[in-house]
Amino acid sequence: MKTAILGFGVVGSGAFEVLEKAGYEVKRVLDIRPHDELGDKLTANYDDILNDKEISVVAEAIGGLEPAHTFVVKALKAGKHVVSSNKHLICTYYEELHALALENGVTLRFTSSAGGGIPWLYNLKRSVRCDDIYKVMGIMNGTTNFILDAMISDGRDFDDVLSEAQRLGYAEANPSADIDGLDTARKTAISSSIAFNTIIKEENVDIFSLRFIKKADIDYITSKLNKTVRYLGFGVKSEGGASVFVEPALLDSDALESNVRKNNNMISLFGRDVGRLSFFGQGAGKYPTGNALAQDVIDILSGSTELSFAPEAINVDNATLERAYYVRTKADVSYDFFDTVEVIDGSKYITTKKITVSKMHAVAKEIRSLDADAFFAGIEG
Amino acid sequence: MKTAILGFGVVGSGAFEVLEKAGYEVKRVLDIRPHDELGDKLTANYDDILNDKEISVVAEAIGGLEPAHTFVVKALKAGKHVVSSNKHLICTYYEELHALALENGVTLRFTSSAGGGIPWLYNLKRSVRCDDIYKVMGIMNGTTNFILDAMISDGRDFDDVLSEAQRLGYAEANPSADIDGLDTARKTAISSSIAFNTIIKEENVDIFSLRFIKKADIDYITSKLNKTVRYLGFGVKSEGGASVFVEPALLDSDALESNVRKNNNMISLFGRDVGRLSFFGQGAGKYPTGNALAQDVIDILSGSTELSFAPEAINVDNATLERAYYVRTKADVSYDFFDTVEVIDGSKYITTKKITVSKMHAVAKEIRSLDADAFFAGIEG
C-alpha cells in the first residue's frame, strides 16, 4: 500500500515530509508546478496515480472545489482510500463523497480540514461511536484569534492589528473568509455534521462577522461586563433540532478559551458520558496541518477502518436555541428583549435578555441596515 | 468478537453501560461480588472467560497488581486482546505485558489508565508514529487540582479543602497517593514511556509532595510573584536523556493550565512538527473513564492494529534539565543558587536561579530534614 499526494503546496509538502521521515513511501505527487526535489515522483497527469495499482491512498491537498472534487470522486470510484485537508470540498460534497466511499468499500478521512494540527475531527468521530455528543464549540480560525488577542493585550484597534497580521502572513490579502466567518462556518458545519450524524451545509450557519469590532467594544466588554471575547463556531443539539452559528462570544476570564493566545485553536465536544473534552493546538501551518493529513494516511495504512455513515435528517434551525447578546450600535432602535442599555460617545452598548439565535440574527440585519458599523456578540454562561 | 470485563466497580460498570448502549455485547463480567442485574453474564471463575473462544477482548478494570497481573498475562497468552484502566499494573509491568502482546499477536491498550475520560495516551501514541515528541506535561490528578483551585479561589488552607474533598468523594480517606504525587508519577511514567519510546518506572520519577502547601504560599505566589500554582507531571527529553518529575509548578495566569478549574485534567504533548497539542477533560469518574476504556475496546473491535513497540534505552536522569524553583522554609539554610530571599513571619520565601531537577530534589531532602513543613515548587517559563 503506497500513497500519492495531490497538490504540493504548504500542506501537501508538509505531509510529504512527515510521511517520508516516518518511513511511509509517497510514490507520486501531483502538481503542475515544477519541483525538482521530487524527481520522478512528480507528475502533472492524474492518470499516473489513478492507474497505479500500488497506490491505495490518495491524499488531496489542492484546496478549492475543482479539480479537487473530480479527482477525489475518481479516486473513490477506483477503489482508493481518500484523505483530504480541504474544508471547502468536504463541506460542499460530504454526503456524495461519503456515499461513494461506502459504495466502493474505501475510507474517506479529513481530520486536517478543521483545526489544522489538532486531531479534532478524528477524535470527534471516535467519540460519536459510543456517546451522545450534544454540543461542539471552538476557536477554529487562527487569524481572528490573533487579531482579538492582540486587540485585548495591546489595546490596539481592529484595522491596525489586521494590517500586522497580513504583514506577518497570518491573514490573507483578502481577509474576508477569516474575519467574516466563512472559514469558521465551514469547519463548524463539518464538525456539527459529524457530531450529530447528519448533513449540515455552510448555508445553514448564521454568522456574525468579526470585522465590526472596535477598541471601544473591547474596553466596554472588559471593564463593564468583566468578560473577554473570542470568535467561536457553535453546534448545539436540543430537543427541537440543532443550532449552528458563528459569533464573537463574550466569555468569563477563567474560561479555557480565554487563555488561548495568538493564532492557536481550541475546539471542544460535550458528550453525555464523557463530559467536556477540549483539544488545543496550532490551527494552521505546514508541519502541523501536514502532520494531521499524514496521521489520517497512516491510520489507513495501519488498517483502521472507517465506521459506516448513515446520516439522519435533523431539524437544523437556529430558533431551537436561546442565548443573551451584546450589541453596540448608533442606530436609534429599541426592542423589548433589550436588557441593559448604556450610551457612551453617541453609541448604545446593549446587553439583551435570552432570545433565539435566529431572531437575533434577523434583528441584526435590521440594525445593520441602519448602522453599517454595528457589532454583535453572543454572551456565554 | 465479543468482550469480557474484569471487575465491576466504578470504571468496569461504566464501561459495561457505555459498550452495551452503543451495541457492543459484553458477554461476561468477572466479579466476586453479586450483581443481580448482570444475570448469566456474571462469573466469579476466570476460566469461563479464558476458555470462551467467542471472547477476543478482555477489559481489565480490577485495579492493583494482583490478581490483575495474573489475569492479564493469561489473557495475552490465550491470544486475547487486552484493554486496561490500571495505571499501577501498566506502570509496573509495561515491558513484560507489551512483549507478551507482541509475541501473541494481540493488542494491549490502556488509554484510560491516565487522564480518565481524556483520549490522551491514545493520541500520544498516534503522534509518536510520525513526530518527535520531546515533552509531555500536565495536570493528571483531579483531587490535587480541586484542592489548589479551591485554595486559590476561596483563600482557604490546604487541610480545610482536603477535608471538603474527602467529604465530596473527590479524595480518598487516605489521600497520600494523590497529594504526595504517586498517582501523578505513575501517569507521568506511562506517558513518558510512550512519548520517548522507552521504559520509565515510577522509581525514576522525582516527586515534590503537594501536602506542604499553605495559604501563605498561595498569597506570596499570587501577589508577589504574579503566578498561579498547579500540580504537574513532566517528562522532558533533551540531548543528554530524559527528565521525569512531579512538582507543584508556578505558571503565568495566561497559561492554559491556569484556567483548568475544579477536578479537571489537562495533558499536553510537544512535537517538533505538530507543536503543542493539549487535551482537556474529566480525569476520573464512572462514565468518563468507562467511556475511555470502552473506546479502546471499540478500536480493537473495529480492526485498529497496535503499532509495534521496541523500547530504546534512554538515559533517564533528572540532571539533564535545569529550571528555577520556589522554596518556602523556616530552616536556616543558604545555597549559592538562591536568587531572591524574602523573610515574612519567620519564613524565608525563596526563588532560585536555574539548577538541575536532580540537584533541587536532593537539596529539598536536606532542607526537609531541618524543616518538615518546607514547600517546593518549580517555576515555569
Side-chain angles (χ1 to χ4, degrees):
Chain A
M1 287 175 81
K2 286 176 184 172
T3 303
I5 293 177
L6 313 186
F8 202 67
V10 171
V11 174
S13 63
F16 179 87
E17 287 183 44
V18 169
L19 285 168
E20 294 261 315
K21 208 163 52 179
Y24 297 93
E25 186 188 340
V26 177
K27 192 174 178 193
R28 302 306 292 264
V29 174
L30 182 76
D31 208 296
I32 51 172
R33 294 162 293 183
H35 296 286
D36 291 348
E37 70 275 28
L38 290 175
D40 287 349
K41 289 182 190 290
L42 185 69
T43 176
N45 181 359
Y46 187 44
D47 287 339
D48 289 344
I49 290 166
L50 219 47
N51 298 329
D52 189 329
K53 301 283 174 222
E54 270 196 338
I55 293 174
S56 53
V57 185
V58 170
E60 184 270 312
I62 304 171
L65 292 187
E66 285 300 341
H69 176 245
T70 302
F71 287 170
V72 163
V73 167
K74 283 186 180 175
L76 293 170
K77 286 186 173 168
K80 296 182 195 297
H81 305 289
V82 168
V83 167
S84 172
S85 61
N86 186 337
K87 61 185 169 288
H88 193 180
L89 175 77
I90 298 301
C91 196
T92 307
Y93 294 112
Y94 181 43
E95 189 162 18
E96 176 205 13
L97 297 180
H98 221 302
L100 271 177
L102 277 182
E103 205 176 302
N104 292 281
V106 292
T107 290
L108 174 70
R109 288 280 198 107
F110 43 86
T111 302
S112 52
S113 70
I118 304 173
W120 157 244
L121 290 176
Y122 176 69
N123 277 281
L124 175 62
K125 185 138 195 166
R126 195 167 175 263
S127 285
V128 167
R129 303 185 301 189
C130 61
D131 203 352
D132 176 23
I133 308 302
Y134 60 91
K135 181 175 175 181
V136 292
M137 171 183 95
I139 299 167
M140 307 188 194
N141 179 275
T143 305
T144 46
N145 204 66
F146 176 87
I147 291 171
L148 285 173
D149 185 42
M151 288 180 73
I152 296 165
S153 301
D154 307 338
R156 291 157 65 194
D157 221 326
F158 183 85
D159 295 336
D160 177 27
V161 180
L162 175 59
S163 302
E164 186 199 353
Q166 288 171 316
R167 215 168 49 243
L168 291 172
Y170 292 162
E172 309 277 337
N174 178 351
S176 174
D178 293 323
I179 66 176
D180 292 325
L182 182 60
D183 179 84
T184 301
R186 285 178 177 152
K187 293 167 179 169
T188 304
I190 295 172
S191 301
S192 302
S193 294
I194 293 180
F196 309 145
N197 190 36
T198 191
I199 302 288
I200 292 169
K201 302 276 200 180
E202 65 187 65
E203 53 267 30
N204 295 130
V205 186
D206 276 330
I207 304 174
F208 283 148
S209 171
L210 187 68
R211 75 160 72 218
F212 304 101
I213 194 167
K214 292 185 196 303
K215 182 175 181 307
D217 294 303
I218 303 281
D219 291 345
Y220 191 85
I221 290 163
T222 307
S223 61
K224 296 291 179 80
L225 302 178
N226 203 20
K227 299 267 190 181
T228 191
V229 198
R230 290 292 184 265
Y231 198 45
L232 297 179
F234 293 87
V236 185
K237 198 168 69 173
S238 63
E239 294 258 320
S243 293
V244 187
F245 52 98
V246 173
E247 296 175 349
L250 275 49
L251 299 154
D252 290 333
S253 63
D254 71 349
L256 287 176
E257 289 82 4
S258 302
N259 275 3
V260 175
R261 308 291 308 272
K262 303 199 189 298
N263 60 342
N264 287 299
N265 285 196
M266 175 182 275
I267 323 179
S268 302
L269 65 86
F270 296 75
R272 302 274 168 214
D273 282 338
V274 83
R276 174 178 173 158
L277 288 182
S278 300
F279 302 81
F280 166 93
Q282 293 179 28
K286 175 175 177 172
Y287 292 109
T289 310
N291 179 278
L293 189 68
Q295 291 276 28
D296 275 350
V297 171
I298 297 171
D299 279 340
I300 292 172
L301 297 176
S302 305
S304 175
T305 57
E306 189 65 5
L307 300 166
S308 67
F309 171 71
E312 291 159 13
I314 189 169
N315 177 33
V316 183
D317 180 356
N318 283 350
T320 58
L321 184 76
E322 292 197 327
R323 54 204 253 113
Y325 283 90
Y326 163 88
V327 181
R328 188 254 311 139
T329 181
K330 291 190 172 178
D332 182 22
V333 290
S334 179
Y335 290 88
D336 58 358
F337 57 82
F338 283 3
D339 188 13
T340 68
V341 181
E342 191 166 352
V343 181
I344 303 174
D345 294 339
S347 285
K348 291 194 188 71
Y349 292 78
I350 301 152
T351 62
T352 78
K353 297 171 191 154
K354 284 198 171 185
I355 59 164
T356 65
V357 173
S358 53
K359 177 80 183 284
M360 187 66 232
H361 281 258
V363 167
K365 287 196 183 76
E366 297 174 14
I367 296 177
R368 192 175 304 292
S369 71
L370 304 169
D371 173 12
D373 275 339
F375 176 68
F376 306 90
I379 302 176
E380 285 298 291
Chain B
M1 285 175 82
K2 287 178 183 170
T3 303
I5 293 177
L6 314 186
F8 202 67
V10 172
V11 174
S13 63
F16 179 87
E17 286 183 44
V18 169
L19 285 168
E20 294 262 314
K21 208 165 50 179
Y24 297 93
E25 185 189 340
V26 177
K27 192 174 177 192
R28 303 306 293 262
V29 174
L30 181 75
D31 207 297
I32 50 171
R33 293 163 294 183
H35 297 286
D36 291 347
E37 71 275 28
L38 290 175
D40 287 349
K41 290 181 189 289
L42 184 68
T43 175
N45 180 0
Y46 187 45
D47 287 338
D48 289 344
I49 289 166
L50 218 47
N51 298 330
D52 189 329
K53 300 286 176 219
E54 271 197 337
I55 293 174
S56 53
V57 184
V58 169
E60 183 271 312
I62 304 171
L65 293 186
E66 285 300 342
H69 175 244
T70 302
F71 288 170
V72 164
V73 166
K74 283 186 179 173
L76 293 170
K77 286 187 174 167
K80 296 183 195 297
H81 305 289
V82 169
V83 167
S84 171
S85 61
N86 186 336
K87 60 187 170 291
H88 193 181
L89 175 77
I90 299 300
C91 196
T92 308
Y93 294 112
Y94 182 41
E95 190 163 18
E96 178 205 13
L97 298 180
H98 222 304
L100 270 177
L102 277 183
E103 206 176 300
N104 291 282
V106 292
T107 290
L108 173 71
R109 287 281 197 105
F110 42 87
T111 302
S112 53
S113 70
I118 305 173
W120 156 244
L121 290 175
Y122 176 68
N123 276 281
L124 175 63
K125 185 139 196 168
R126 194 166 176 263
S127 285
V128 167
R129 303 185 300 189
C130 61
D131 202 353
D132 177 22
I133 309 302
Y134 60 91
K135 181 174 173 180
V136 292
M137 171 182 96
I139 299 168
M140 306 186 195
N141 179 276
T143 306
T144 47
N145 205 66
F146 176 87
I147 292 172
L148 284 173
D149 185 41
M151 288 179 74
I152 295 165
S153 300
D154 307 338
R156 293 158 63 195
D157 221 325
F158 183 86
D159 295 335
D160 177 28
V161 180
L162 175 59
S163 302
E164 187 199 353
Q166 287 170 318
R167 212 168 50 241
L168 291 171
Y170 293 162
E172 309 276 338
N174 178 352
S176 174
D178 293 324
I179 66 176
D180 291 324
L182 182 59
D183 180 83
T184 302
R186 284 178 178 152
K187 293 168 179 169
T188 304
I190 295 172
S191 301
S192 302
S193 293
I194 293 179
F196 309 146
N197 189 36
T198 191
I199 302 288
I200 291 169
K201 302 278 202 179
E202 64 186 66
E203 52 267 31
N204 296 130
V205 185
D206 276 331
I207 304 174
F208 282 149
S209 170
L210 187 68
R211 77 160 70 219
F212 303 101
I213 194 166
K214 291 185 197 302
K215 182 175 181 309
D217 294 303
I218 303 282
D219 292 344
Y220 192 85
I221 290 164
T222 306
S223 61
K224 296 293 179 81
L225 302 178
N226 203 21
K227 299 266 189 182
T228 192
V229 199
R230 289 293 183 264
Y231 197 45
L232 298 178
F234 293 89
V236 185
K237 199 167 70 173
S238 62
E239 294 258 319
S243 293
V244 187
F245 52 98
V246 172
E247 296 176 349
L250 275 49
L251 299 153
D252 289 334
S253 63
D254 71 351
L256 287 176
E257 289 81 3
S258 302
N259 276 3
V260 174
R261 308 291 307 272
K262 304 199 188 294
N263 59 343
N264 287 299
N265 284 196
M266 175 182 276
I267 323 181
S268 303
L269 65 84
F270 296 75
R272 302 276 170 213
D273 283 338
V274 84
R276 173 178 173 157
L277 288 183
S278 300
F279 302 82
F280 166 93
Q282 293 178 27
K286 174 174 176 171
Y287 293 108
T289 310
N291 178 279
L293 190 68
Q295 292 275 28
D296 275 351
V297 171
I298 298 171
D299 279 340
I300 292 172
L301 296 176
S302 304
S304 175
T305 57
E306 188 67 3
L307 300 166
S308 67
F309 172 72
E312 293 160 12
I314 190 169
N315 177 31
V316 182
D317 180 356
N318 283 350
T320 58
L321 183 76
E322 291 197 328
R323 54 203 253 113
Y325 283 90
Y326 163 87
V327 181
R328 187 255 309 139
T329 180
K330 292 191 171 179
D332 182 22
V333 290
S334 178
Y335 291 88
D336 58 359
F337 57 82
F338 283 4
D339 187 14
T340 67
V341 181
E342 191 167 352
V343 180
I344 303 174
D345 293 339
S347 285
K348 290 194 189 73
Y349 292 78
I350 301 154
T351 63
T352 77
K353 296 172 190 153
K354 284 198 170 185
I355 59 164
T356 65
V357 172
S358 53
K359 176 80 184 284
M360 187 66 232
H361 280 258
V363 167
K365 287 198 182 74
E366 295 174 16
I367 295 177
R368 192 173 304 291
S369 71
L370 303 170
D371 172 12
D373 275 340
F375 175 68
F376 306 90
I379 302 176
E380 285 299 290

